[in-house]
Amino acid sequence: MTSEAPDAALLAAYDEQLRTEAEMARAHDVQRDGPLWWGVFDHGGFVSYRDLGGLAGASLDEAIERTVAHFRDETAVESFEWKSRGHDEPADLAERLVAHGLVAEPDETVMVGEASLLAVDVPLADTPHGPVVVRRIEPGPAAVSDLTRMLEAQESVFGGGRGPSVGSALRELEEGGSEFWIAEVGDRVVCGGRLTPVEGTDFAGIWGGSTLPEFRGRGIYRALVAARARSAVARGIRLIHSDCTDMSRPILERSGLRAVTTTTPYVWTR
């Protein structure tokens, strides 16, 4: 067995379990066009596929044209995302998407690994503003306030317009679709993120984890990851996946997750 075999197995699990149906689980409407899955969500449209089934050249251009026409003419979404991966074929997919008016967003690295590797104790020292408290947001009277503060903190780091609304996050919380976790200093949310189990698979995703700049370098993000991983293990979830930035990748790699591919969103906007 080569040293690449474990990564290949993780990538195969990712492709087989986390694309197409899994990415459409919360869509209001799903349409199929050959290998493509078109979904409409609260936040806009989304395109998924396991692979492109040999589409290339003119046939790929036609599929992209049909996709743009579908979201433009048959839905009310303001934008849709074509989520490409670095190992997708053909090699000129990105060039063809851009030629049809889609705009590339920053690359992220897809990390995959055993949840147990992340489920460790992370001691946190007090900050100059007070101690750090990591906790899960629970449904109830305080949920709207907690989610509002969490999403405001995330938008201050990542920018607005692409994340869930407070209303959709509250529905997801109340329906059990995701766990929402925050790290607080006093009444201020300094880091927040989700754990989203993927039904029918071995996976849960960890999303968010934005730490306010003045609180970075204290292990807060790693502590929030560890808390979510412990919850995943308790739920019987074996694998964690995350699309991560250059900032969070080293933390996840030190914990044992592996980089299996990259992902680049291509976005069309009316």
Side-chain angles (χ1 to χ4, degrees), residues 28-212:
H28 304 310
D29 179 70
V30 179
Q31 303 290 329
R32 297 282 303 276
D33 183 89
L36 302 178
W37 295 57
W38 300 330
V40 174
F41 297 78
D42 284 343
H43 60 272
F46 190 85
V47 180
S48 181
Y49 48 93
R50 168 62 179 81
D51 58 57
L52 289 173
L55 288 176
S59 63
L60 177 55
D61 283 333
E62 291 167 1
I64 298 170
E65 290 169 4
R66 289 194 300 273
T67 299
V68 172
H70 167 73
F71 285 108
R72 182 190 63 220
D73 301 336
E74 300 176 21
T75 78
V77 301
E78 290 299 318
S79 64
F80 75 83
E81 174 186 332
W82 181 302
K83 187 177 177 71
S84 73
R85 274 74 170 194
H87 62 290
D88 287 344
E89 296 288 348
D92 64 353
L93 171 61
E95 176 184 331
R96 293 180 183 278
L97 290 171
V98 171
H100 286 83
L102 283 78
V103 177
E105 296 201 337
D107 294 345
E108 293 186 314
T109 302
V110 178
M111 307 292 293
V112 178
E114 298 283 340
S116 59
L117 297 175
L118 299 173
V120 296
D121 291 326
V122 181
L124 292 173
D126 288 355
T127 76
H129 306 282
V132 181
V133 176
V134 175
R135 67 178 176 90
R136 179 179 170 182
I137 296 175
E138 300 288 352
V144 170
S145 173
D146 286 343
L147 290 170
T148 299
R149 292 185 299 119
M150 172 183 164
L151 295 176
E152 286 175 347
Q154 289 186 334
E155 288 192 358
S156 75
V157 175
F158 292 132
R162 296 299 307 280
S165 65
V166 173
S168 64
L170 183 63
R171 287 193 298 274
E172 196 168 348
L173 173 68
E174 292 176 339
E175 293 169 0
S178 288
E179 298 177 7
F180 293 81
W181 288 78
I182 54 176
E184 294 172 297
V185 176
D187 61 358
R188 188 179 185 190
V189 174
V190 301
C191 187
R194 289 179 292 144
L195 174 75
T196 304
V198 184
E199 187 175 354
T201 76
D202 298 323
F203 285 89
I206 52 174
W207 307 109
S210 52
T211 305
L212 299 184

